[in-house]
Amino acid sequence: MGSGQNPRPGYVNVDASPACRPDEVWDLEQTPWPWPDNCAEEVLFIHSLEHMGGDPKVFLAIMRELYRICAPNASVMIHVPHPRHDNFINDPTHVRAISPPMLTLFDREANEEWREKGAANSPLALYNGVDFKVAAYRGVLAEPYRTQVEAGELTEAAIEEIVRSRNNVLTEWRMQLLVRKSQPAEA
């Protein structure tokens, strides 16, 4: 999704720009999408999702459409620049910060727990009829931090503190969502 100049073999590459020569030209901010329910077993957003949904209503529509087209247990891989890195800040086409905690707002199980506790988190899974579990995530360290961690000069705890207090520590987030939904009924 949003393949740009980097189409992936074995995937249906989608982009809004015909100049990118995708398999299918489609502006993903335009919903509904033209694909059938439960048609995708794996979806990639590699440095594209941060360019979509500057308007919250549009972003929520994207998440609903993503859920609709994903098959049960589908995997959604998302790579985005870290919102506190200059790579994110300096590109005027980056309209939405994407992070593991933000994506957890689309996890129905987490939403139910928050509701029971009376937490103020926005239960976007419940509001939008979706259920994505953040199955894995990792931050990609910028230099000199990566080298310092590899040399044993910085611990994971130290890096966590540095990430909370400084910009330009993580260059990007790499995340995997799993789609939780029941199998469609046989006709």
Side-chain angles (χ1 to χ4, degrees):
M1 300 296 194
S3 58
Q5 299 295 321
N6 301 304
R8 301 274 175 146
Y11 290 87
V12 175
N13 294 279
V14 177
D15 201 277
S17 174
C20 295
R21 298 179 22 199
D23 301 311
E24 295 192 31
V25 175
W26 188 263
D27 179 349
L28 294 167
E29 291 187 313
Q30 299 300 311
T31 58
W33 292 348
W35 305 291
D37 295 357
N38 303 309
C39 68
E41 294 188 15
E42 185 174 42
V43 176
L44 306 178
F45 284 97
I46 308 299
H47 290 277
S48 58
L49 190 57
E50 71 275 10
H51 297 273
M52 301 174 207
D55 178 328
K57 290 178 182 175
V58 172
F59 186 76
L60 294 175
I62 289 169
M63 295 303 288
R64 287 190 301 270
E65 281 298 284
L66 177 61
Y67 188 75
R68 181 187 66 75
I69 69 159
C70 280
N73 303 311
S75 174
V76 180
M77 302 301 296
I78 301 170
H79 297 185
V80 293
H82 191 279
R84 291 184 50 223
H85 193 278
D86 288 348
N87 292 344
F88 179 83
I89 296 166
N90 292 332
D91 187 334
T93 68
H94 290 164
V95 298
R96 173 147 316 270
I98 310 287
S99 66
M102 185 275 269
L103 291 172
T104 302
L105 297 173
F106 296 94
D107 181 326
R108 186 171 296 151
E109 192 173 284
N111 287 189
E112 295 286 354
E113 288 176 23
W114 299 334
R115 185 165 53 186
E116 287 177 24
K117 294 177 182 176
N121 305 61
S122 297
L124 297 179
L126 298 177
Y127 293 169
N128 289 281
V130 302
D131 193 7
F132 295 101
K133 177 180 178 52
V134 177
Y137 66 90
R138 73 177 184 90
V140 177
L141 284 169
E143 289 297 348
Y145 306 105
R146 180 179 48 210
T147 299
Q148 291 172 339
V149 167
E150 289 171 357
E153 297 168 6
L154 288 174
T155 64
E156 285 296 317
I159 282 295
E160 287 177 19
E161 179 56 34
I162 292 168
V163 167
R164 281 193 297 275
S165 63
R166 298 183 193 167
N167 291 342
N168 296 311
V169 177
L170 295 179
T171 60
E172 67 182 79
W173 283 119
R174 293 185 177 180
M175 301 163 283
Q176 178 189 25
L177 302 180
L178 292 180
V179 175
R180 293 190 289 215
K181 63 163 90 166
S182 57
Q183 295 288 338
E186 294 289 326

